[in-house]
């Protein structure tokens, strides 16, 4: 069973459309990160959320952490072809002694067509 | 942000040979480093957690005798894939645990022929 369920796994949209990616779990996380990865490169951190109910904005990207710290969402407004990539959520389980081990969701492959 | 490098960035080897991948934290000390593997269009799968000066902790299903990890200093961890087979072909990514987050390397593409 996947600890972090990320959906959808694939998303193909037209430039200018909005989209939301979800990350859900039955576990509580002390922090949750969103990454973007290009083919052949390592993941690049977009944001870290730590407080339940927290909302962070990064230009056209809005990240939300659920009140119970079990889920998160990434919303992109007016998507552009440059947003194309693999988006990953990852979290550190609360209360663990795991040296900050990250658990990753399955990833969302986003393709934005011009 | 902090920088993590990996070497080599890609490697092709013959079946049965061993390959060593290096992961270096360039501007911070990483007491803990993590090794992941990633198949095409899939997420990262944690293989092992490496702590400086001690044995690595492997995730369930990862063969510790096949994937040898050494973390001899605060800035260097190595992953050696022993007796590599074509099914070991993958993208291997390391990360170093910094003071606020994990910093990921650029990855190493391993192809076993």
């Amino acid at each position: 069973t996947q600890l972090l369920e990320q959906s959808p796994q694939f998303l193909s949209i037209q430039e200018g459309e909005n989209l939301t990616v979800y990350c859900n779990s039955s576990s509580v996380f002390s922090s949750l990160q969103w990454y973007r990865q290009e083919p052949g490169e390592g993941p690049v951190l977009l944001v870290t959320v730590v407080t339940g109910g927290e909302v962070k904005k990064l230009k056209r990207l809005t990240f939300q952490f659920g009140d119970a710290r079990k889920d998160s969402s990434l919303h992109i407004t007016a998507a552009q072809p440059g947003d194309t990539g693999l988006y990953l959520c990852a979290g550190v389980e609360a209360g663990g002694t795991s040296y900050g081990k990250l658990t990753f969701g399955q990833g969302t492959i986003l393709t934005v067509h011009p | 942000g902090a920088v993590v490098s990996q070497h080599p960035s890609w490697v092709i080897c013959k079946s049965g040979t061993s390959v060593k991948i290096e992961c270096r934290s360039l501007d911070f000390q990483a007491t803990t480093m993590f090794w992941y593997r990633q198949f095409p269009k899939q997420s990262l799968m944690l293989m092992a957690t490496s702590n400086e000066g001690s044995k690595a902790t492997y995730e369930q299903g990862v063969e510790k005798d096949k994937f040898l990890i050494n973390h001899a200093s605060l800035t260097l961890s190595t992953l050696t894939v022993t007796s590599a087979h074509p099914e070991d072909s993958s993208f291997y990514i390391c990360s170093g645990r910094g003071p606020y987050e994990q910093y990921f390397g650029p990855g190493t593409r391993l192809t076993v022929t």
Side-chain angles (χ1 to χ4, degrees):
Chain A
T1 313
Q2 190 78 17
L3 186 63
L4 263 177
E5 294 286 341
Q6 188 173 342
S7 63
Q9 282 189 265
F10 301 94
L11 203 49
S12 181
I13 61 173
Q14 293 297 126
E15 183 176 1
E17 291 183 10
N18 302 332
L19 67 112
T20 303
V21 179
Y22 300 93
C23 213
N24 296 295
S25 177
S26 57
S27 299
V28 177
F29 289 90
S30 57
S31 68
L32 200 139
Q33 288 81 39
W34 285 91
Y35 295 85
R36 181 164 169 263
Q37 186 182 20
E38 299 276 5
E41 299 179 9
V44 174
L45 180 68
L46 295 173
V47 78
T48 299
V49 285
V50 296
T51 306
E54 183 176 5
V55 177
K56 282 192 174 179
K57 292 195 174 186
L58 187 66
K59 297 183 180 178
R60 292 176 295 100
L61 278 60
T62 302
F63 305 86
Q64 188 160 7
F65 201 15
D67 291 340
R69 292 185 291 138
K70 293 183 179 181
D71 55 88
S72 181
S73 64
L74 157 62
H75 182 79
I76 301 180
T77 304
Q80 298 176 1
D83 296 327
T84 295
L86 173 65
Y87 289 82
L88 298 158
C89 65
V92 178
E93 274 192 273
T97 55
S98 56
Y99 302 99
K101 184 172 77 171
L102 281 174
T103 299
F104 279 85
Q106 298 99 320
T108 297
I109 298 176
L110 171 65
T111 305
V112 183
H113 301 280
Chain B
V3 178
V4 172
S5 70
Q6 282 185 240
H7 179 79
S9 55
W10 58 271
V11 57
I12 301 172
C13 71
K14 291 189 175 180
S15 188
T17 62
S18 295
V19 174
K20 180 185 283 188
I21 302 170
E22 292 185 350
C23 176
R24 292 182 186 273
S25 56
L26 299 184
D27 51 3
F28 70 103
Q29 294 184 330
T31 308
T32 302
M33 287 184 169
F34 301 90
W35 285 95
Y36 301 84
R37 68 185 295 184
Q38 184 179 34
F39 293 106
K41 297 188 178 182
Q42 292 187 23
S43 186
L44 278 68
M45 289 192 318
L46 180 66
M47 299 175 66
T49 302
S50 165
N51 291 296
E52 186 264 338
S54 63
K55 289 184 179 180
T57 303
Y58 290 82
E59 294 299 300
Q60 194 172 6
V62 178
E63 299 175 59
K64 60 180 181 180
D65 294 329
K66 181 167 184 63
F67 298 100
L68 300 179
I69 291 172
N70 185 281
H71 193 161
S73 79
L74 288 172
T75 59
L76 174 65
S77 176
T78 60
L79 168 68
T80 301
V81 183
T82 62
S83 187
H85 288 100
E87 56 265 30
D88 298 324
S89 297
S90 190
F91 193 52
Y92 291 87
I93 304 174
C94 71
S95 70
R97 189 166 73 99
Y100 305 110
E101 62 184 79
Q102 280 191 34
Y103 300 96
F104 286 84
T108 297
R109 171 74 58 195
L110 169 64
T111 303
V112 185
T113 60

